[in-house]
Amino acid sequence: MANDTRARILETTGLLLRQRGYHGTSLNDILSASGAPRGSLYFHFPGGKDQLVIEVTRDSVAEVTERLTEALAAERDPAVAVHHIYQSVARMLEDNQFSLGCPIAPVVLDSPTDVPELADLCRSAFEQWIGLLRDAFVRAGVPERRAHALALLVESSLEGLMVIARATRDRAPLKAVADEVAALIEGAVLAGEARQRADTTV
Protein backbone atom coordinates (compact mmCIF):
# COMPACT_ATOMS: atom_id res chain seq x y z
CA MET A 1 0.00 0.00 0.00
CA ALA A 2 2.82 2.40 0.92
CA ASN A 3 4.56 1.66 -2.37
CA ASP A 4 1.30 2.26 -4.24
CA THR A 5 0.96 5.68 -2.60
CA ARG A 6 4.57 6.57 -3.40
CA ALA A 7 4.15 5.49 -7.03
CA ARG A 8 0.92 7.49 -7.31
CA ILE A 9 2.60 10.62 -5.98
CA LEU A 10 5.50 10.20 -8.43
CA GLU A 11 3.20 9.60 -11.40
CA THR A 12 1.02 12.59 -10.53
CA THR A 13 4.02 14.86 -10.08
CA GLY A 14 5.48 13.79 -13.42
CA LEU A 15 2.21 14.56 -15.18
CA LEU A 16 1.79 17.96 -13.52
CA LEU A 17 5.39 18.95 -14.24
CA ARG A 18 4.92 18.23 -17.94
CA GLN A 19 1.71 20.24 -17.97
CA ARG A 20 2.62 23.17 -15.71
CA GLY A 21 6.37 23.20 -15.14
CA TYR A 22 8.26 23.49 -11.86
CA HIS A 23 6.85 26.78 -10.56
CA GLY A 24 3.34 25.95 -11.72
CA THR A 25 3.23 22.73 -9.71
CA SER A 26 2.64 23.08 -5.98
CA LEU A 27 2.53 20.46 -3.26
CA ASN A 28 -1.17 21.19 -2.85
CA ASP A 29 -1.69 20.45 -6.55
CA ILE A 30 0.16 17.15 -6.17
CA LEU A 31 -1.80 16.18 -3.08
CA SER A 32 -5.13 17.10 -4.65
CA ALA A 33 -4.48 15.27 -7.92
CA SER A 34 -2.96 12.17 -6.33
CA GLY A 35 -5.39 11.91 -3.42
CA ALA A 36 -2.47 11.20 -1.11
CA PRO A 37 -2.46 12.46 2.49
CA ARG A 38 0.06 15.22 3.24
CA GLY A 39 1.69 13.02 5.85
CA SER A 40 2.31 10.30 3.26
CA LEU A 41 4.01 12.73 0.94
CA TYR A 42 6.47 13.85 3.59
CA PHE A 43 6.95 10.28 4.76
CA HIS A 44 8.09 9.20 1.30
CA PHE A 45 9.70 12.51 0.37
CA PRO A 46 10.99 14.26 3.50
CA GLY A 47 12.77 16.80 1.30
CA GLY A 48 9.40 18.03 0.06
CA LYS A 49 8.78 19.36 -3.43
CA ASP A 50 12.42 19.59 -4.48
CA GLN A 51 13.21 15.98 -3.59
CA LEU A 52 10.04 14.84 -5.33
CA VAL A 53 10.72 16.82 -8.51
CA ILE A 54 14.34 15.67 -8.65
CA GLU A 55 13.33 12.02 -8.32
CA VAL A 56 10.60 12.33 -10.95
CA THR A 57 12.94 14.12 -13.34
CA ARG A 58 15.66 11.53 -12.82
CA ASP A 59 13.20 8.74 -13.60
CA SER A 60 11.95 10.57 -16.70
CA VAL A 61 15.50 11.13 -17.96
CA ALA A 62 16.34 7.46 -17.43
CA GLU A 63 13.24 6.37 -19.36
CA VAL A 64 13.97 8.66 -22.33
CA THR A 65 17.62 7.60 -22.32
CA GLU A 66 16.66 3.93 -22.40
CA ARG A 67 14.24 4.42 -25.28
CA LEU A 68 16.73 6.48 -27.26
CA THR A 69 19.46 3.91 -26.70
CA GLU A 70 17.18 1.10 -27.84
CA ALA A 71 16.02 3.02 -30.91
CA LEU A 72 19.56 3.76 -32.04
CA ALA A 73 20.69 0.18 -31.40
CA ALA A 74 17.76 -1.32 -33.30
CA GLU A 75 18.89 0.00 -36.68
CA ARG A 76 22.32 -0.20 -38.29
CA ASP A 77 21.51 2.88 -40.37
CA PRO A 78 21.27 5.92 -38.05
CA ALA A 79 19.14 7.77 -40.62
CA VAL A 80 16.49 5.06 -40.30
CA ALA A 81 16.80 5.05 -36.52
CA VAL A 82 16.35 8.81 -36.28
CA HIS A 83 13.34 8.70 -38.61
CA HIS A 84 11.78 6.11 -36.32
CA ILE A 85 12.48 8.36 -33.32
CA TYR A 86 10.54 11.22 -34.93
CA GLN A 87 7.69 8.79 -35.67
CA SER A 88 7.73 7.60 -32.06
CA VAL A 89 7.52 11.16 -30.76
CA ALA A 90 4.61 11.86 -33.12
CA ARG A 91 2.75 8.78 -31.83
CA MET A 92 3.41 9.83 -28.24
CA LEU A 93 1.90 13.24 -28.88
CA GLU A 94 -1.14 11.76 -30.59
CA ASP A 95 -1.60 9.26 -27.76
CA ASN A 96 -1.69 12.01 -25.14
CA GLN A 97 -3.83 14.26 -27.41
CA PHE A 98 -0.98 16.76 -27.80
CA SER A 99 -1.10 17.65 -24.12
CA LEU A 100 2.40 16.48 -23.11
CA GLY A 101 5.82 16.94 -24.66
CA CYS A 102 9.37 16.50 -23.43
CA PRO A 103 9.34 15.59 -19.71
CA ILE A 104 12.15 18.00 -18.77
CA ALA A 105 11.55 20.95 -21.12
CA PRO A 106 8.96 22.62 -18.82
CA VAL A 107 11.40 22.32 -15.91
CA VAL A 108 14.22 23.86 -17.94
CA LEU A 109 12.01 26.72 -19.12
CA ASP A 110 11.16 27.52 -15.50
CA SER A 111 14.92 27.94 -14.80
CA PRO A 112 14.93 26.44 -11.28
CA THR A 113 18.44 27.77 -10.56
CA ASP A 114 17.66 27.75 -6.84
CA VAL A 115 17.70 23.93 -7.06
CA PRO A 116 21.21 23.23 -8.43
CA GLU A 117 20.77 19.46 -8.47
CA LEU A 118 17.70 19.78 -10.67
CA ALA A 119 19.41 22.21 -13.04
CA ASP A 120 22.43 19.89 -13.31
CA LEU A 121 20.16 16.92 -13.96
CA CYS A 122 18.44 18.68 -16.87
CA ARG A 123 21.74 19.85 -18.35
CA SER A 124 23.30 16.40 -18.14
CA ALA A 125 20.18 14.85 -19.70
CA PHE A 126 20.53 16.89 -22.87
CA GLU A 127 24.26 16.23 -22.96
CA GLN A 128 23.60 12.52 -22.66
CA TRP A 129 20.92 12.43 -25.36
CA ILE A 130 23.01 14.50 -27.75
CA GLY A 131 25.98 12.27 -26.98
CA LEU A 132 24.04 9.11 -27.81
CA LEU A 133 23.02 10.54 -31.17
CA ARG A 134 26.55 11.80 -31.90
CA ASP A 135 28.08 8.42 -31.09
CA ALA A 136 25.62 6.65 -33.39
CA PHE A 137 26.58 8.96 -36.24
CA VAL A 138 30.29 8.52 -35.57
CA ARG A 139 29.91 4.74 -35.60
CA ALA A 140 28.34 5.07 -39.05
CA GLY A 141 31.39 6.92 -40.32
CA VAL A 142 30.40 10.57 -39.87
CA PRO A 143 33.32 12.76 -38.69
CA GLU A 144 32.94 13.64 -35.02
CA ARG A 145 32.54 17.40 -35.50
CA ARG A 146 29.74 16.97 -38.03
CA ALA A 147 28.23 14.14 -36.00
CA HIS A 148 27.97 16.47 -33.00
CA ALA A 149 26.32 19.18 -35.12
CA LEU A 150 23.83 16.68 -36.52
CA ALA A 151 23.05 15.41 -33.02
CA LEU A 152 22.35 18.98 -31.88
CA LEU A 153 20.12 19.46 -34.92
CA VAL A 154 18.10 16.32 -34.17
CA GLU A 155 17.65 17.09 -30.48
CA SER A 156 16.82 20.77 -30.95
CA SER A 157 14.37 20.07 -33.79
CA LEU A 158 12.59 17.42 -31.74
CA GLU A 159 12.22 19.80 -28.80
CA GLY A 160 10.90 22.59 -31.01
CA LEU A 161 8.64 20.32 -33.03
CA MET A 162 6.97 19.00 -29.89
CA VAL A 163 5.96 22.57 -29.07
CA ILE A 164 4.75 23.24 -32.63
CA ALA A 165 2.81 19.97 -32.76
CA ARG A 166 1.13 20.74 -29.45
CA ALA A 167 0.20 24.24 -30.62
CA THR A 168 -1.19 23.02 -33.95
CA ARG A 169 -2.42 19.67 -32.65
CA ASP A 170 -0.91 18.11 -35.75
CA ARG A 171 1.89 15.57 -36.27
CA ALA A 172 2.55 16.74 -39.84
CA PRO A 173 5.47 19.03 -38.88
CA LEU A 174 7.27 16.06 -37.33
CA LYS A 175 6.74 13.98 -40.47
CA ALA A 176 8.06 16.73 -42.75
CA VAL A 177 11.18 17.41 -40.69
CA ALA A 178 11.83 13.71 -40.10
CA ASP A 179 12.16 13.13 -43.83
CA GLU A 180 14.54 16.07 -44.26
CA VAL A 181 16.71 15.23 -41.26
CA ALA A 182 16.93 11.55 -42.24
CA ALA A 183 18.06 12.57 -45.73
CA LEU A 184 20.68 14.87 -44.24
CA ILE A 185 22.02 12.11 -41.99
CA GLU A 186 22.04 9.63 -44.87
CA GLY A 187 24.06 12.10 -46.91
CA ALA A 188 26.54 12.57 -44.08
CA VAL A 189 26.97 8.80 -43.73
CA LEU A 190 27.53 8.36 -47.46
CA ALA A 191 30.06 11.20 -47.48
CA GLY A 192 31.86 9.59 -44.56
CA GLU A 193 31.97 6.24 -46.34
CA ALA A 194 33.34 7.87 -49.50
CA ARG A 195 36.00 9.64 -47.49
CA GLN A 196 37.04 6.38 -45.83
CA ARG A 197 37.28 4.64 -49.21
CA ALA A 198 39.41 7.45 -50.58
CA ASP A 199 41.72 7.26 -47.59
CA THR A 200 42.26 3.52 -48.03
CA THR A 201 43.19 3.92 -51.70
CA VAL A 202 45.84 6.55 -51.06
Side-chain angles (χ1 to χ4, degrees), residues 19-34:
Q19 292 174 332
R20 307 179 186 179
Y22 175 81
H23 294 303
T25 301
S26 69
L27 285 180
N28 284 337
D29 294 331
I30 295 168
L31 290 170
S32 176
S34 67

Side-chain angles (χ1 to χ4, degrees), residues 79-110:
V80 174
V82 167
H83 199 278
H84 287 170
I85 290 167
Y86 279 83
Q87 291 176 323
S88 177
V89 170
R91 285 194 299 271
M92 178 268 292
L93 287 165
E94 284 188 325
D95 289 345
N96 66 47
Q97 298 182 324
F98 299 95
S99 64
L100 305 171
C102 173
I104 67 169
V107 177
V108 173
L109 293 173
D110 267 358

Side-chain angles (χ1 to χ4, degrees), residues 115-129:
V115 189
E117 186 177 352
L118 182 58
D120 288 345
L121 180 58
C122 293
R123 173 185 52 77
S124 65
F126 281 116
E127 290 175 348
Q128 187 173 13
W129 298 340

Side-chain angles (χ1 to χ4, degrees), residues 32 38 44 49 62 82 98 101 126 128 148 150 152 173 178 185 200:
S32 176
R38 183 173 294 270
H44 292 292
K49 176 181 173 179
V82 167
F98 299 95
F126 281 116
Q128 187 173 13
H148 184 70
L150 286 170
L152 282 169
I185 295 168
T200 59

